[in-house]
């Protein structure tokens, strides 16, 4: 599991890849939180296009970044999620917190 973070013009894009489970999500959360607090973007795009598996840790990952971004008036968008991952996110109610495209 890896995360590649790029920022341009107040938009932070986090390209996630591999599997998101409880063993790997912690390092990803730390990397994202540090980048968000440092750069204070107005929008965070979480790119799930290369994520092959996600358990509840992925839901927590999105929810926690939503809270962090919401505190500063920012927003979160989830992009590229597979139909299976998208279904899990919708069942968890993430569509009420983040935009999906």
């Amino acid at each position: 599991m890896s995360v590649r973070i790029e920022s341009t013009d107040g938009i932070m894009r986090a390209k996630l890849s591999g599997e998101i489970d409880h063993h790997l999500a912690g390092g990803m959360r730390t990397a994202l939180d540090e980048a968000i607090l440092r750069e204070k973007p107005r929008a965070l795009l979480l790119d799930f296009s290369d994520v092959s598996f996600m358990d509840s840790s992925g839901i927590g990952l999105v929810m926690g970044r939503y809270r962090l971004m919401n505190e500063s008036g920012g927003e979160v968008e989830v992009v590229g999620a597979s139909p299976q991952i998208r279904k899990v996110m919708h069942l968890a109610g993430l569509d009420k917190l983040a935009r999906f495209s």
Side-chain angles (χ1 to χ4, degrees):
M1 176 52 151
S2 69
V3 59
R4 189 176 69 232
I5 302 169
E6 300 173 351
S7 294
T8 306
D9 298 326
I11 299 173
M12 181 176 288
R13 183 179 191 95
K15 177 78 169 169
L16 314 174
S17 62
E19 297 184 354
I20 301 176
D21 61 21
H22 71 279
H23 295 292
L24 302 170
M28 181 175 297
R29 281 192 302 269
T30 300
L32 285 167
D33 289 353
E34 288 174 355
I36 291 166
L37 292 171
R38 181 179 60 249
E39 299 183 31
K40 300 182 182 1
R42 70 176 185 277
L44 171 65
L45 276 66
L46 296 172
D47 186 344
F48 278 78
S49 59
D50 290 335
V51 173
S52 57
F53 170 82
M54 181 188 84
D55 67 10
S56 62
S57 300
I59 294 168
L61 179 79
V62 176
M63 290 177 72
R65 283 0 82 212
Y66 166 78
R67 277 189 288 253
L68 188 57
M69 290 295 294
N70 192 48
E71 289 173 1
S72 63
E75 62 181 34
V76 175
E77 182 174 353
V78 175
V79 300
S82 70
Q84 297 86 354
I85 290 175
R86 200 174 176 110
K87 181 178 179 179
V88 169
M89 289 182 175
H90 284 290
L91 288 172
L94 293 183
D95 54 323
K96 294 176 179 81
L97 305 178
R99 254 184 331 160
F100 283 76
S101 58

